[in-house]
Amino acid sequence: MSTLLGWMEVTLLVAIVGALTGALVGSLFLALSKHRIESFAPHRRVWMLRVVAWAPLIGAGLALTVAYFPSLIDLAGIASDHCGDHAGHPLHLCFLHYPPPALLPPVTWFTLGMALIVSHHWWDALRAVRRTHRWANDLAKLSSYDEETGAYVVETDTCFAVTVGLFHRRILFSEGLRRVLSPAQLQAVLSHEQAHRHRFDSLHRLFTQIAMVFYLPSTRRFVLEQIALASEQCCDEAAATTVEDRITVAEAILTVARASRGAEVPAGVLRFGDTRIEQRIQALLDGNWQRPGLWGLGALLAIFILTLFHFHTLHHGLEHAVAWLT
Amino acid sequence: MEYLWDHESSDVKSSFRAIGEPRQITLNTVQSAMKRLWEKGLLSRQKSGHAYVYSTKVDRRGLTEMMVSELLDQVTGSQMDVALQAFVNLADQAGEETLNRLEELVAAKRKADEERS
């Protein structure tokens, strides 16, 4: 039992160190591209930012692979572990043939503290989802299905259009909204919401929020806001394609913004006309995006190739680092 | 509420016979539900003999308006503060001046587009 707990502790430490390294790489990437990021086409921007958001999890995955790959292939019977190569090494990360290294008490406390912070953050995100789900259900109870639009209509003068749900996604909008918009503008709003539905934006947002726990709060806020803006712009582009007029979408955003001022909806709900109106309108009017350079993708590939070719160096380096903490 | 909207007014016993018995809920449950709705200001009541006769104070539309407004208020209140962490309501941030400027910009673009075609 103590052996299992010992290895769990080491695994947690390796994952946390990998995640923090990933967060550092992601933060550096953001620092270098922050001023240019908004000029990229929204769909590219969303993916770039998602990779940044997921960098800590990618880092944790890579660190765990580097640490345990030799033991895992031995366990699977593919190849025998390289325990023999470790003569004279202070420590060997092999859960098959060696006991877990005993970490220094401050390292154990750091690991447990980080695990608690991460669990608390994830629990908070899930609670927000539950709260939003309840909120959406209450709103849905007041609605009726409208065959003409394929959405749910709430008979109220308050103006809103929302996409709710993570897996079972529904579009709800108000009668008030239908009254203030022209048919073309309403189509733009519904196409925008349909795009949110097809893109699983709420689910992506939840995963991103969960993955970003290892970043500093300011970086987390920046990335989440940028992803929210890019997602809205992706849906604006989809709406513009459907109604074949970018200005109609811009007009719809402004009409909704004016009609729904003061009404807010929770994080898990994607609402038309509420995210960075100014940037969205400008993007719809200008519509000229830059192509991002391929250096980010190249850097990622380089990390993978280096990991692959210098696997043993990294594995032994990691073992030396862990040995330093025991 | 649905029953009272359809029947204008009713005492507890009649409501119980119409909606309580089919749903197998007790007279007390119907009575306390109607009392709660009266306390919330959704029903009015008048004494008739030993019983109260209830009637609705708001119509369907009015109730929906109240509930939607309550739901939207929940978001700005403390109950939804965690969910609001990542939420940026730019409809509020875009003030009157910004909206006016953007509307002018869009109108100018629309005019230019129409002149071109």
mmCIF file with all atom_site columns, all heavy atoms in Angstrom, chain A residues 131 135 156-157 251 258 261 264 267 274 276 278, chain B residues 61 65 71 79 82-83 89-90 96 100-101 103:
data_model
loop_
_atom_site.group_PDB
_atom_site.id
_atom_site.type_symbol
_atom_site.label_atom_id
_atom_site.label_alt_id
_atom_site.label_comp_id
_atom_site.label_asym_id
_atom_site.label_entity_id
_atom_site.label_seq_id
_atom_site.pdbx_PDB_ins_code
_atom_site.Cartn_x
_atom_site.Cartn_y
_atom_site.Cartn_z
_atom_site.occupancy
_atom_site.B_iso_or_equiv
_atom_site.pdbx_formal_charge
_atom_site.auth_seq_id
_atom_site.auth_comp_id
_atom_site.auth_asym_id
_atom_site.auth_atom_id
_atom_site.pdbx_PDB_model_num
ATOM 1   N N   . ARG A 1 131 ? -24.702 24.725 -12.035 1.00 0.00 ? 131 ARG A N   1
ATOM 2   C CA  . ARG A 1 131 ? -25.543 25.904 -11.795 1.00 0.00 ? 131 ARG A CA  1
ATOM 3   C C   . ARG A 1 131 ? -26.121 26.428 -13.114 1.00 0.00 ? 131 ARG A C   1
ATOM 4   O O   . ARG A 1 131 ? -27.285 26.747 -13.223 1.00 0.00 ? 131 ARG A O   1
ATOM 5   C CB  . ARG A 1 131 ? -24.684 26.985 -11.127 1.00 0.00 ? 131 ARG A CB  1
ATOM 6   C CG  . ARG A 1 131 ? -25.462 27.898 -10.252 1.00 0.00 ? 131 ARG A CG  1
ATOM 7   C CD  . ARG A 1 131 ? -24.632 28.937 -9.538  1.00 0.00 ? 131 ARG A CD  1
ATOM 8   N NE  . ARG A 1 131 ? -23.215 28.904 -9.810  1.00 0.00 ? 131 ARG A NE  1
ATOM 9   C CZ  . ARG A 1 131 ? -22.316 28.435 -8.962  1.00 0.00 ? 131 ARG A CZ  1
ATOM 10  N NH1 . ARG A 1 131 ? -22.690 27.926 -7.821  1.00 0.00 ? 131 ARG A NH1 1
ATOM 11  N NH2 . ARG A 1 131 ? -21.045 28.472 -9.266  1.00 0.00 ? 131 ARG A NH2 1
ATOM 12  N N   . TRP A 1 135 ? -29.979 26.654 -14.434 1.00 0.00 ? 135 TRP A N   1
ATOM 13  C CA  . TRP A 1 135 ? -30.470 27.943 -14.943 1.00 0.00 ? 135 TRP A CA  1
ATOM 14  C C   . TRP A 1 135 ? -31.099 27.741 -16.333 1.00 0.00 ? 135 TRP A C   1
ATOM 15  O O   . TRP A 1 135 ? -32.189 28.213 -16.604 1.00 0.00 ? 135 TRP A O   1
ATOM 16  C CB  . TRP A 1 135 ? -29.282 28.901 -15.019 1.00 0.00 ? 135 TRP A CB  1
ATOM 17  C CG  . TRP A 1 135 ? -29.609 30.299 -15.446 1.00 0.00 ? 135 TRP A CG  1
ATOM 18  C CD1 . TRP A 1 135 ? -29.955 31.341 -14.638 1.00 0.00 ? 135 TRP A CD1 1
ATOM 19  C CD2 . TRP A 1 135 ? -29.614 30.806 -16.783 1.00 0.00 ? 135 TRP A CD2 1
ATOM 20  N NE1 . TRP A 1 135 ? -30.171 32.451 -15.390 1.00 0.00 ? 135 TRP A NE1 1
ATOM 21  C CE2 . TRP A 1 135 ? -29.974 32.165 -16.706 1.00 0.00 ? 135 TRP A CE2 1
ATOM 22  C CE3 . TRP A 1 135 ? -29.362 30.261 -18.036 1.00 0.00 ? 135 TRP A CE3 1
ATOM 23  C CZ2 . TRP A 1 135 ? -30.077 32.973 -17.834 1.00 0.00 ? 135 TRP A CZ2 1
ATOM 24  C CZ3 . TRP A 1 135 ? -29.471 31.072 -19.171 1.00 0.00 ? 135 TRP A CZ3 1
ATOM 25  C CH2 . TRP A 1 135 ? -29.821 32.409 -19.049 1.00 0.00 ? 135 TRP A CH2 1
ATOM 26  N N   . THR A 1 156 ? -41.419 36.437 -24.013 1.00 0.00 ? 156 THR A N   1
ATOM 27  C CA  . THR A 1 156 ? -41.085 37.569 -23.147 1.00 0.00 ? 156 THR A CA  1
ATOM 28  C C   . THR A 1 156 ? -40.574 38.729 -23.988 1.00 0.00 ? 156 THR A C   1
ATOM 29  O O   . THR A 1 156 ? -40.055 38.515 -25.087 1.00 0.00 ? 156 THR A O   1
ATOM 30  C CB  . THR A 1 156 ? -40.012 37.162 -22.098 1.00 0.00 ? 156 THR A CB  1
ATOM 31  O OG1 . THR A 1 156 ? -39.551 38.324 -21.436 1.00 0.00 ? 156 THR A OG1 1
ATOM 32  C CG2 . THR A 1 156 ? -38.829 36.461 -22.713 1.00 0.00 ? 156 THR A CG2 1
ATOM 33  N N   . ASP A 1 157 ? -40.746 39.930 -23.443 1.00 0.00 ? 157 ASP A N   1
ATOM 34  C CA  . ASP A 1 157 ? -40.272 41.113 -24.175 1.00 0.00 ? 157 ASP A CA  1
ATOM 35  C C   . ASP A 1 157 ? -38.760 41.297 -24.028 1.00 0.00 ? 157 ASP A C   1
ATOM 36  O O   . ASP A 1 157 ? -38.151 42.013 -24.804 1.00 0.00 ? 157 ASP A O   1
ATOM 37  C CB  . ASP A 1 157 ? -40.993 42.371 -23.648 1.00 0.00 ? 157 ASP A CB  1
ATOM 38  C CG  . ASP A 1 157 ? -42.452 42.376 -24.054 1.00 0.00 ? 157 ASP A CG  1
ATOM 39  O OD1 . ASP A 1 157 ? -42.759 41.795 -25.124 1.00 0.00 ? 157 ASP A OD1 1
ATOM 40  O OD2 . ASP A 1 157 ? -43.283 42.917 -23.314 1.00 0.00 ? 157 ASP A OD2 1
ATOM 41  N N   . GLU A 1 251 ? -25.334 44.576 -38.065 1.00 0.00 ? 251 GLU A N   1
ATOM 42  C CA  . GLU A 1 251 ? -26.558 45.290 -37.638 1.00 0.00 ? 251 GLU A CA  1
ATOM 43  C C   . GLU A 1 251 ? -27.300 44.495 -36.559 1.00 0.00 ? 251 GLU A C   1
ATOM 44  O O   . GLU A 1 251 ? -27.806 45.074 -35.590 1.00 0.00 ? 251 GLU A O   1
ATOM 45  C CB  . GLU A 1 251 ? -27.474 45.518 -38.851 1.00 0.00 ? 251 GLU A CB  1
ATOM 46  C CG  . GLU A 1 251 ? -26.957 46.587 -39.794 1.00 0.00 ? 251 GLU A CG  1
ATOM 47  C CD  . GLU A 1 251 ? -27.663 46.606 -41.149 1.00 0.00 ? 251 GLU A CD  1
ATOM 48  O OE1 . GLU A 1 251 ? -28.341 45.605 -41.496 1.00 0.00 ? 251 GLU A OE1 1
ATOM 49  O OE2 . GLU A 1 251 ? -27.526 47.611 -41.860 1.00 0.00 ? 251 GLU A OE2 1
ATOM 50  N N   . ARG A 1 258 ? -28.195 46.750 -28.138 1.00 0.00 ? 258 ARG A N   1
ATOM 51  C CA  . ARG A 1 258 ? -28.982 47.881 -27.662 1.00 0.00 ? 258 ARG A CA  1
ATOM 52  C C   . ARG A 1 258 ? -30.230 47.400 -26.911 1.00 0.00 ? 258 ARG A C   1
ATOM 53  O O   . ARG A 1 258 ? -30.596 47.949 -25.878 1.00 0.00 ? 258 ARG A O   1
ATOM 54  C CB  . ARG A 1 258 ? -29.393 48.766 -28.848 1.00 0.00 ? 258 ARG A CB  1
ATOM 55  C CG  . ARG A 1 258 ? -29.699 50.165 -28.422 1.00 0.00 ? 258 ARG A CG  1
ATOM 56  C CD  . ARG A 1 258 ? -29.876 51.081 -29.586 1.00 0.00 ? 258 ARG A CD  1
ATOM 57  N NE  . ARG A 1 258 ? -28.680 51.848 -29.940 1.00 0.00 ? 258 ARG A NE  1
ATOM 58  C CZ  . ARG A 1 258 ? -28.120 52.791 -29.202 1.00 0.00 ? 258 ARG A CZ  1
ATOM 59  N NH1 . ARG A 1 258 ? -28.607 53.071 -28.018 1.00 0.00 ? 258 ARG A NH1 1
ATOM 60  N NH2 . ARG A 1 258 ? -27.079 53.457 -29.622 1.00 0.00 ? 258 ARG A NH2 1
ATOM 61  N N   . ARG A 1 261 ? -29.314 45.486 -23.224 1.00 0.00 ? 261 ARG A N   1
ATOM 62  C CA  . ARG A 1 261 ? -28.326 46.087 -22.320 1.00 0.00 ? 261 ARG A CA  1
ATOM 63  C C   . ARG A 1 261 ? -28.730 45.858 -20.872 1.00 0.00 ? 261 ARG A C   1
ATOM 64  O O   . ARG A 1 261 ? -29.859 46.059 -20.481 1.00 0.00 ? 261 ARG A O   1
ATOM 65  C CB  . ARG A 1 261 ? -28.175 47.582 -22.587 1.00 0.00 ? 261 ARG A CB  1
ATOM 66  C CG  . ARG A 1 261 ? -27.425 47.825 -23.867 1.00 0.00 ? 261 ARG A CG  1
ATOM 67  C CD  . ARG A 1 261 ? -27.228 49.276 -24.093 1.00 0.00 ? 261 ARG A CD  1
ATOM 68  N NE  . ARG A 1 261 ? -26.185 49.774 -23.217 1.00 0.00 ? 261 ARG A NE  1
ATOM 69  C CZ  . ARG A 1 261 ? -25.937 51.065 -23.067 1.00 0.00 ? 261 ARG A CZ  1
ATOM 70  N NH1 . ARG A 1 261 ? -26.647 51.948 -23.685 1.00 0.00 ? 261 ARG A NH1 1
ATOM 71  N NH2 . ARG A 1 261 ? -24.970 51.456 -22.277 1.00 0.00 ? 261 ARG A NH2 1
ATOM 72  N N   . GLU A 1 264 ? -27.512 39.890 -18.232 1.00 0.00 ? 264 GLU A N   1
ATOM 73  C CA  . GLU A 1 264 ? -26.317 39.041 -18.303 1.00 0.00 ? 264 GLU A CA  1
ATOM 74  C C   . GLU A 1 264 ? -26.706 37.579 -18.208 1.00 0.00 ? 264 GLU A C   1
ATOM 75  O O   . GLU A 1 264 ? -27.708 37.239 -17.622 1.00 0.00 ? 264 GLU A O   1
ATOM 76  C CB  . GLU A 1 264 ? -25.375 39.378 -17.151 1.00 0.00 ? 264 GLU A CB  1
ATOM 77  C CG  . GLU A 1 264 ? -24.795 40.755 -17.267 1.00 0.00 ? 264 GLU A CG  1
ATOM 78  C CD  . GLU A 1 264 ? -23.825 41.032 -16.153 1.00 0.00 ? 264 GLU A CD  1
ATOM 79  O OE1 . GLU A 1 264 ? -22.738 40.451 -16.157 1.00 0.00 ? 264 GLU A OE1 1
ATOM 80  O OE2 . GLU A 1 264 ? -24.160 41.825 -15.278 1.00 0.00 ? 264 GLU A OE2 1
ATOM 81  N N   . ALA A 1 267 ? -21.589 31.803 -17.425 1.00 0.00 ? 267 ALA A N   1
ATOM 82  C CA  . ALA A 1 267 ? -20.444 31.438 -18.253 1.00 0.00 ? 267 ALA A CA  1
ATOM 83  C C   . ALA A 1 267 ? -20.700 30.304 -19.230 1.00 0.00 ? 267 ALA A C   1
ATOM 84  O O   . ALA A 1 267 ? -20.206 30.303 -20.333 1.00 0.00 ? 267 ALA A O   1
ATOM 85  C CB  . ALA A 1 267 ? -19.274 31.074 -17.350 1.00 0.00 ? 267 ALA A CB  1
ATOM 86  N N   . ASP A 1 274 ? -22.897 39.624 -27.139 1.00 0.00 ? 274 ASP A N   1
ATOM 87  C CA  . ASP A 1 274 ? -22.437 40.138 -25.865 1.00 0.00 ? 274 ASP A CA  1
ATOM 88  C C   . ASP A 1 274 ? -20.917 40.140 -25.699 1.00 0.00 ? 274 ASP A C   1
ATOM 89  O O   . ASP A 1 274 ? -20.424 40.571 -24.694 1.00 0.00 ? 274 ASP A O   1
ATOM 90  C CB  . ASP A 1 274 ? -23.076 39.374 -24.709 1.00 0.00 ? 274 ASP A CB  1
ATOM 91  C CG  . ASP A 1 274 ? -22.730 37.913 -24.699 1.00 0.00 ? 274 ASP A CG  1
ATOM 92  O OD1 . ASP A 1 274 ? -21.818 37.519 -25.435 1.00 0.00 ? 274 ASP A OD1 1
ATOM 93  O OD2 . ASP A 1 274 ? -23.357 37.177 -23.963 1.00 0.00 ? 274 ASP A OD2 1
ATOM 94  N N   . ARG A 1 276 ? -17.339 41.461 -26.710 1.00 0.00 ? 276 ARG A N   1
ATOM 95  C CA  . ARG A 1 276 ? -16.494 42.392 -27.429 1.00 0.00 ? 276 ARG A CA  1
ATOM 96  C C   . ARG A 1 276 ? -17.136 42.903 -28.721 1.00 0.00 ? 276 ARG A C   1
ATOM 97  O O   . ARG A 1 276 ? -16.610 42.712 -29.826 1.00 0.00 ? 276 ARG A O   1
ATOM 98  C CB  . ARG A 1 276 ? -15.155 41.725 -27.729 1.00 0.00 ? 276 ARG A CB  1
ATOM 99  C CG  . ARG A 1 276 ? -14.410 41.431 -26.462 1.00 0.00 ? 276 ARG A CG  1
ATOM 100 C CD  . ARG A 1 276 ? -13.010 41.106 -26.773 1.00 0.00 ? 276 ARG A CD  1
ATOM 101 N NE  . ARG A 1 276 ? -12.244 41.045 -25.539 1.00 0.00 ? 276 ARG A NE  1
ATOM 102 C CZ  . ARG A 1 276 ? -10.946 40.925 -25.489 1.00 0.00 ? 276 ARG A CZ  1
ATOM 103 N NH1 . ARG A 1 276 ? -10.261 40.846 -26.591 1.00 0.00 ? 276 ARG A NH1 1
ATOM 104 N NH2 . ARG A 1 276 ? -10.331 40.876 -24.350 1.00 0.00 ? 276 ARG A NH2 1
ATOM 105 N N   . GLU A 1 278 ? -17.346 45.726 -30.109 1.00 0.00 ? 278 GLU A N   1
ATOM 106 C CA  . GLU A 1 278 ? -16.586 46.609 -30.980 1.00 0.00 ? 278 GLU A CA  1
ATOM 107 C C   . GLU A 1 278 ? -15.663 45.817 -31.920 1.00 0.00 ? 278 GLU A C   1
ATOM 108 O O   . GLU A 1 278 ? -15.661 46.051 -33.138 1.00 0.00 ? 278 GLU A O   1
ATOM 109 C CB  . GLU A 1 278 ? -15.770 47.576 -30.127 1.00 0.00 ? 278 GLU A CB  1
ATOM 110 C CG  . GLU A 1 278 ? -15.393 48.802 -30.904 1.00 0.00 ? 278 GLU A CG  1
ATOM 111 C CD  . GLU A 1 278 ? -14.963 49.952 -30.018 1.00 0.00 ? 278 GLU A CD  1
ATOM 112 O OE1 . GLU A 1 278 ? -15.069 49.829 -28.777 1.00 0.00 ? 278 GLU A OE1 1
ATOM 113 O OE2 . GLU A 1 278 ? -14.531 50.964 -30.575 1.00 0.00 ? 278 GLU A OE2 1
ATOM 114 N N   . ARG B 2 61  ? -48.468 35.453 -19.637 1.00 0.00 ? 61  ARG B N   1
ATOM 115 C CA  . ARG B 2 61  ? -47.405 36.308 -20.167 1.00 0.00 ? 61  ARG B CA  1
ATOM 116 C C   . ARG B 2 61  ? -46.674 37.029 -19.031 1.00 0.00 ? 61  ARG B C   1
ATOM 117 O O   . ARG B 2 61  ? -45.447 37.082 -18.988 1.00 0.00 ? 61  ARG B O   1
ATOM 118 C CB  . ARG B 2 61  ? -48.055 37.312 -21.137 1.00 0.00 ? 61  ARG B CB  1
ATOM 119 C CG  . ARG B 2 61  ? -47.123 38.286 -21.773 1.00 0.00 ? 61  ARG B CG  1
ATOM 120 C CD  . ARG B 2 61  ? -46.405 37.639 -22.910 1.00 0.00 ? 61  ARG B CD  1
ATOM 121 N NE  . ARG B 2 61  ? -45.414 38.517 -23.465 1.00 0.00 ? 61  ARG B NE  1
ATOM 122 C CZ  . ARG B 2 61  ? -44.993 38.455 -24.690 1.00 0.00 ? 61  ARG B CZ  1
ATOM 123 N NH1 . ARG B 2 61  ? -45.484 37.557 -25.510 1.00 0.00 ? 61  ARG B NH1 1
ATOM 124 N NH2 . ARG B 2 61  ? -44.061 39.256 -25.117 1.00 0.00 ? 61  ARG B NH2 1
ATOM 125 N N   . GLU B 2 65  ? -42.767 36.755 -17.916 1.00 0.00 ? 65  GLU B N   1
ATOM 126 C CA  . GLU B 2 65  ? -41.909 37.947 -17.802 1.00 0.00 ? 65  GLU B CA  1
ATOM 127 C C   . GLU B 2 65  ? -41.214 37.987 -16.443 1.00 0.00 ? 65  GLU B C   1
ATOM 128 O O   . GLU B 2 65  ? -40.009 38.221 -16.347 1.00 0.00 ? 65  GLU B O   1
ATOM 129 C CB  . GLU B 2 65  ? -42.729 39.239 -17.975 1.00 0.00 ? 65  GLU B CB  1
ATOM 130 C CG  . GLU B 2 65  ? -43.279 39.474 -19.358 1.00 0.00 ? 65  GLU B CG  1
ATOM 131 C CD  . GLU B 2 65  ? -42.239 39.860 -20.383 1.00 0.00 ? 65  GLU B CD  1
ATOM 132 O OE1 . GLU B 2 65  ? -41.065 40.027 -20.020 1.00 0.00 ? 65  GLU B OE1 1
ATOM 133 O OE2 . GLU B 2 65  ? -42.596 39.948 -21.572 1.00 0.00 ? 65  GLU B OE2 1
ATOM 134 N N   . LEU B 2 71  ? -34.715 35.024 -13.527 1.00 0.00 ? 71  LEU B N   1
ATOM 135 C CA  . LEU B 2 71  ? -33.586 34.194 -13.981 1.00 0.00 ? 71  LEU B CA  1
ATOM 136 C C   . LEU B 2 71  ? -32.394 35.067 -14.385 1.00 0.00 ? 71  LEU B C   1
ATOM 137 O O   . LEU B 2 71  ? -31.254 34.766 -14.057 1.00 0.00 ? 71  LEU B O   1
ATOM 138 C CB  . LEU B 2 71  ? -34.013 33.332 -15.176 1.00 0.00 ? 71  LEU B CB  1
ATOM 139 C CG  . LEU B 2 71  ? -34.744 32.039 -14.840 1.00 0.00 ? 71  LEU B CG  1
ATOM 140 C CD1 . LEU B 2 71  ? -35.320 31.402 -16.084 1.00 0.00 ? 71  LEU B CD1 1
ATOM 141 C CD2 . LEU B 2 71  ? -33.791 31.056 -14.156 1.00 0.00 ? 71  LEU B CD2 1
ATOM 142 N N   . GLN B 2 79  ? -25.620 34.287 -6.406  1.00 0.00 ? 79  GLN B N   1
ATOM 143 C CA  . GLN B 2 79  ? -25.766 32.848 -6.656  1.00 0.00 ? 79  GLN B CA  1
ATOM 144 C C   . GLN B 2 79  ? -24.945 32.372 -7.844  1.00 0.00 ? 79  GLN B C   1
ATOM 145 O O   . GLN B 2 79  ? -24.585 31.219 -7.925  1.00 0.00 ? 79  GLN B O   1
ATOM 146 C CB  . GLN B 2 79  ? -27.236 32.516 -6.937  1.00 0.00 ? 79  GLN B CB  1
ATOM 147 C CG  . GLN B 2 79  ? -28.141 32.670 -5.743  1.00 0.00 ? 79  GLN B CG  1
ATOM 148 C CD  . GLN B 2 79  ? -29.587 32.505 -6.161  1.00 0.00 ? 79  GLN B CD  1
ATOM 149 O OE1 . GLN B 2 79  ? -29.927 31.653 -6.951  1.00 0.00 ? 79  GLN B OE1 1
ATOM 150 N NE2 . GLN B 2 79  ? -30.447 33.351 -5.629  1.00 0.00 ? 79  GLN B NE2 1
ATOM 151 N N   . VAL B 2 82  ? -19.685 32.378 -9.324  1.00 0.00 ? 82  VAL B N   1
ATOM 152 C CA  . VAL B 2 82  ? -18.639 31.488 -9.840  1.00 0.00 ? 82  VAL B CA  1
ATOM 153 C C   . VAL B 2 82  ? -18.783 31.372 -11.357 1.00 0.00 ? 82  VAL B C   1
ATOM 154 O O   . VAL B 2 82  ? -17.816 31.452 -12.103 1.00 0.00 ? 82  VAL B O   1
ATOM 155 C CB  . VAL B 2 82  ? -18.740 30.091 -9.190  1.00 0.00 ? 82  VAL B CB  1
ATOM 156 C CG1 . VAL B 2 82  ? -17.676 29.166 -9.750  1.00 0.00 ? 82  VAL B CG1 1
ATOM 157 C CG2 . VAL B 2 82  ? -18.582 30.209 -7.692  1.00 0.00 ? 82  VAL B CG2 1
ATOM 158 N N   . ALA B 2 83  ? -20.021 31.198 -11.798 1.00 0.00 ? 83  ALA B N   1
ATOM 159 C CA  . ALA B 2 83  ? -20.277 31.058 -13.237 1.00 0.00 ? 83  ALA B CA  1
ATOM 160 C C   . ALA B 2 83  ? -19.920 32.325 -13.988 1.00 0.00 ? 83  ALA B C   1
ATOM 161 O O   . ALA B 2 83  ? -19.720 32.295 -15.190 1.00 0.00 ? 83  ALA B O   1
ATOM 162 C CB  . ALA B 2 83  ? -21.730 30.701 -13.469 1.00 0.00 ? 83  ALA B CB  1
ATOM 163 N N   . ASN B 2 89  ? -19.473 40.716 -19.963 1.00 0.00 ? 89  ASN B N   1
ATOM 164 C CA  . ASN B 2 89  ? -20.652 41.261 -20.618 1.00 0.00 ? 89  ASN B CA  1
ATOM 165 C C   . ASN B 2 89  ? -20.298 42.560 -21.311 1.00 0.00 ? 89  ASN B C   1
ATOM 166 O O   . ASN B 2 89  ? -20.258 43.616 -20.703 1.00 0.00 ? 89  ASN B O   1
ATOM 167 C CB  . ASN B 2 89  ? -21.766 41.501 -19.603 1.00 0.00 ? 89  ASN B CB  1
ATOM 168 C CG  . ASN B 2 89  ? -23.055 41.854 -20.306 1.00 0.00 ? 89  ASN B CG  1
ATOM 169 O OD1 . ASN B 2 89  ? -23.037 42.350 -21.424 1.00 0.00 ? 89  ASN B OD1 1
ATOM 170 N ND2 . ASN B 2 89  ? -24.163 41.592 -19.669 1.00 0.00 ? 89  ASN B ND2 1
ATOM 171 N N   . LEU B 2 90  ? -20.018 42.445 -22.581 1.00 0.00 ? 90  LEU B N   1
ATOM 172 C CA  . LEU B 2 90  ? -19.582 43.642 -23.314 1.00 0.00 ? 90  LEU B CA  1
ATOM 173 C C   . LEU B 2 90  ? -20.740 44.484 -23.785 1.00 0.00 ? 90  LEU B C   1
ATOM 174 O O   . LEU B 2 90  ? -20.544 45.587 -24.271 1.00 0.00 ? 90  LEU B O   1
ATOM 175 C CB  . LEU B 2 90  ? -18.657 43.238 -24.444 1.00 0.00 ? 90  LEU B CB  1
ATOM 176 C CG  . LEU B 2 90  ? -17.323 42.845 -23.806 1.00 0.00 ? 90  LEU B CG  1
ATOM 177 C CD1 . LEU B 2 90  ? -16.835 41.558 -24.349 1.00 0.00 ? 90  LEU B CD1 1
ATOM 178 C CD2 . LEU B 2 90  ? -16.335 43.940 -23.921 1.00 0.00 ? 90  LEU B CD2 1
ATOM 179 N N   . GLU B 2 96  ? -23.287 53.944 -24.387 1.00 0.00 ? 96  GLU B N   1
ATOM 180 C CA  . GLU B 2 96  ? -24.148 54.613 -25.373 1.00 0.00 ? 96  GLU B CA  1
ATOM 181 C C   . GLU B 2 96  ? -23.316 55.219 -26.510 1.00 0.00 ? 96  GLU B C   1
ATOM 182 O O   . GLU B 2 96  ? -23.648 55.064 -27.683 1.00 0.00 ? 96  GLU B O   1
ATOM 183 C CB  . GLU B 2 96  ? -24.938 55.707 -24.628 1.00 0.00 ? 96  GLU B CB  1
ATOM 184 C CG  . GLU B 2 96  ? -26.039 56.367 -25.435 1.00 0.00 ? 96  GLU B CG  1
ATOM 185 C CD  . GLU B 2 96  ? -27.167 55.413 -25.778 1.00 0.00 ? 96  GLU B CD  1
ATOM 186 O OE1 . GLU B 2 96  ? -27.380 54.452 -25.025 1.00 0.00 ? 96  GLU B OE1 1
ATOM 187 O OE2 . GLU B 2 96  ? -27.815 55.620 -26.821 1.00 0.00 ? 96  GLU B OE2 1
ATOM 188 N N   . ASN B 2 100 ? -23.490 54.217 -30.433 1.00 0.00 ? 100 ASN B N   1
ATOM 189 C CA  . ASN B 2 100 ? -23.837 55.239 -31.448 1.00 0.00 ? 100 ASN B CA  1
ATOM 190 C C   . ASN B 2 100 ? -22.785 55.286 -32.555 1.00 0.00 ? 100 ASN B C   1
ATOM 191 O O   . ASN B 2 100 ? -23.110 55.321 -33.743 1.00 0.00 ? 100 ASN B O   1
ATOM 192 C CB  . ASN B 2 100 ? -23.931 56.627 -30.800 1.00 0.00 ? 100 ASN B CB  1
ATOM 193 C CG  . ASN B 2 100 ? -25.198 56.762 -29.972 1.00 0.00 ? 100 ASN B CG  1
ATOM 194 O OD1 . ASN B 2 100 ? -26.150 55.988 -30.148 1.00 0.00 ? 100 ASN B OD1 1
ATOM 195 N ND2 . ASN B 2 100 ? -25.204 57.705 -29.050 1.00 0.00 ? 100 ASN B ND2 1
ATOM 196 N N   . ARG B 2 101 ? -21.506 55.269 -32.131 1.00 0.00 ? 101 ARG B N   1
ATOM 197 C CA  . ARG B 2 101 ? -20.412 55.351 -33.103 1.00 0.00 ? 101 ARG B CA  1
ATOM 198 C C   . ARG B 2 101 ? -20.422 54.131 -34.034 1.00 0.00 ? 101 ARG B C   1
ATOM 199 O O   . ARG B 2 101 ? -20.283 54.252 -35.241 1.00 0.00 ? 101 ARG B O   1
ATOM 200 C CB  . ARG B 2 101 ? -19.074 55.449 -32.349 1.00 0.00 ? 101 ARG B CB  1
ATOM 201 C CG  . ARG B 2 101 ? -17.870 55.694 -33.226 1.00 0.00 ? 101 ARG B CG  1
ATOM 202 C CD  . ARG B 2 101 ? -16.641 56.024 -32.389 1.00 0.00 ? 101 ARG B CD  1
ATOM 203 N NE  . ARG B 2 101 ? -16.443 55.103 -31.276 1.00 0.00 ? 101 ARG B NE  1
ATOM 204 C CZ  . ARG B 2 101 ? -15.949 53.878 -31.419 1.00 0.00 ? 101 ARG B CZ  1
ATOM 205 N NH1 . ARG B 2 101 ? -15.602 53.434 -32.599 1.00 0.00 ? 101 ARG B NH1 1
ATOM 206 N NH2 . ARG B 2 101 ? -15.793 53.098 -30.366 1.00 0.00 ? 101 ARG B NH2 1
ATOM 207 N N   . GLU B 2 103 ? -22.974 52.207 -34.712 1.00 0.00 ? 103 GLU B N   1
ATOM 208 C CA  . GLU B 2 103 ? -24.156 52.255 -35.579 1.00 0.00 ? 103 GLU B CA  1
ATOM 209 C C   . GLU B 2 103 ? -23.902 53.164 -36.777 1.00 0.00 ? 103 GLU B C   1
ATOM 210 O O   . GLU B 2 103 ? -24.297 52.849 -37.906 1.00 0.00 ? 103 GLU B O   1
ATOM 211 C CB  . GLU B 2 103 ? -25.377 52.723 -34.776 1.00 0.00 ? 103 GLU B CB  1
ATOM 212 C CG  . GLU B 2 103 ? -26.038 51.556 -34.043 1.00 0.00 ? 103 GLU B CG  1
ATOM 213 C CD  . GLU B 2 103 ? -27.018 52.003 -32.966 1.00 0.00 ? 103 GLU B CD  1
ATOM 214 O OE1 . GLU B 2 103 ? -27.087 53.219 -32.678 1.00 0.00 ? 103 GLU B OE1 1
ATOM 215 O OE2 . GLU B 2 103 ? -27.684 51.121 -32.402 1.00 0.00 ? 103 GLU B OE2 1
#
